[in-house]
């Protein structure tokens, strides 16, 4: 029996406590919600003024990438993969002076309609725009499927080394709030705790690095 298995029940109690407090926090924030500036192509339908027929006229989907069907300018080459990869890791395509994320346009070309919410890459690979790797999710579900930070030194999502305590800590983010899951002797133990918490809280939407190609 591992240390993680023996502390499974305390972790469950901890998660119940976290969920209750997150729900209370959410109710509190709704009372004091302020208007925010819209984020460009955030995944919501704030840029869906483009007709599906226009997108179908401009592009075609080859099962992997979006390619130009027609040339509107001298820079566009018919048959070439449309758009470019931006700093955020997504491929974006400029149409009528506005940037659109390629995976959302893939959804449009395949389903003949705009997605009702955010579009998530199931395997976490932002450039894997195969239709079978895309799914419509809520804002919170979209945030659950996030990879480890680039400055992560543990090699595990949600695990970092506490230099002061000289132990490995596990933490999980829920509705933009970071919740601690305790400290452990090894990063493997901390990773197991995070994985258990992520499975219980996020289910199929948790980060699954083994699926990334």
């Amino acid at each position: 029996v591992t240390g993680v298995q023996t502390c499974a029940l305390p972790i469950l109690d901890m998660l119940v406590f976290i969920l209750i407090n997150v729900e209370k926090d959410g109710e509190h924030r709704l009372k004091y919600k302020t208007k925010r500036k819209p984020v460009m192509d955030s995944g919501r339908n704030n840029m869906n003024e483009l007709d599906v027929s226009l997108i179908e006229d401009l592009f075609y989907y080859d099962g992997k990438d979006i390619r130009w069907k027609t040339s509107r300018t001298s820079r566009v080459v018919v048959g070439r993969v449309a758009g470019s990869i931006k700093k955020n890791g997504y491929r974006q395509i400029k149409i009528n002076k506005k940037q659109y994320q390629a995976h959302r346009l893939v959804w449009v070309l395949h389903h003949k309609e705009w997605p009702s919410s955010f579009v998530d890459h199931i395997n976490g690979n932002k450039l894997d725009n195969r239709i079978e790797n895309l799914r419509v999710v809520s804002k919170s579900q979209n945030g659950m499927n996030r990879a480890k930070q680039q400055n992560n030194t543990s090699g595990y999502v949600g695990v970092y080394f506490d230099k002061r305590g000289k132990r490995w800590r596990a933490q999980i983010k829920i509705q933009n709030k970071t919740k601690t899951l305790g400290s452990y002797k090894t990063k493997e133990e901390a990773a197991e705790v995070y994985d258990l918490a992520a499975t219980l809280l996020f289910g199929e939407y948790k980060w699954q690095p083994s699926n990334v190609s």
Side-chain angles (χ1 to χ4, degrees), residues 8 11-12 15 19 193-203 206:
I11 291 175
L12 287 173
L15 293 178
L19 285 172
V193 171
Y194 174 86
D195 187 67
L196 174 61
T199 299
L200 292 172
L201 292 170
F202 305 153
K206 74 172 184 177

Side-chain angles (χ1 to χ4, degrees), residues 48-198:
N48 291 358
E49 68 273 17
L50 284 181
D51 290 334
V52 173
S53 58
L54 173 60
I55 297 173
E56 291 178 322
D57 288 342
L58 293 176
F59 310 101
Y60 68 92
Y61 174 57
D62 65 2
K64 182 180 178 181
D65 296 303
I66 288 184
R67 297 179 180 274
W68 288 102
K69 181 188 292 186
T70 57
S71 178
R72 304 178 75 186
T73 68
S74 58
R75 295 182 179 181
V76 172
V77 177
V78 174
R80 178 177 292 177
V81 176
S84 59
I85 301 172
K86 303 302 181 180
K87 291 182 179 180
N88 60 9
Y90 291 98
R91 178 174 290 277
Q92 294 183 355
I93 302 172
K94 193 172 185 179
I95 310 172
N96 294 343
K97 298 183 180 181
K98 291 184 179 180
Q99 295 285 348
Y100 292 83
Q101 292 183 334
H103 60 282
R104 291 181 63 79
L105 297 181
V106 166
W107 187 275
V108 172
L109 289 171
H110 182 81
H111 293 284
K112 311 302 181 185
E113 64 181 7
W114 281 96
S116 58
S117 185
F118 292 80
V119 176
D120 177 48
H121 291 85
I122 297 173
N123 67 6
N125 186 341
K126 297 178 181 180
L127 297 178
D128 186 354
N129 291 329
R130 293 172 297 124
I131 192 63
E132 57 266 29
N133 188 45
L134 304 178
R135 62 185 171 189
V136 172
V137 296
S138 66
K139 181 179 180 180
S140 61
Q141 289 169 337
N142 189 51
M144 295 171 188
N145 191 19
R146 288 181 179 174
K148 61 183 173 66
Q149 301 280 333
Q150 289 186 349
N151 61 354
N152 181 298
T153 58
S154 71
Y156 295 98
V157 176
V159 176
Y160 72 97
F161 187 68
D162 180 4
K163 293 182 180 179
R164 180 176 296 181
K166 297 186 183 303
R167 288 171 67 88
W168 292 95
R169 287 191 171 274
Q171 61 184 25
I172 196 165
K173 181 169 282 191
I174 311 171
Q175 294 184 3
N176 291 323
K177 282 188 171 290
T178 300
K179 304 294 181 179
T180 182
L181 298 173
S183 63
Y184 305 88
K185 290 183 179 179
T186 68
K187 59 184 177 181
E188 288 77 15
E189 285 182 313
E192 285 188 59
V193 171
Y194 174 86
D195 187 67
L196 174 61

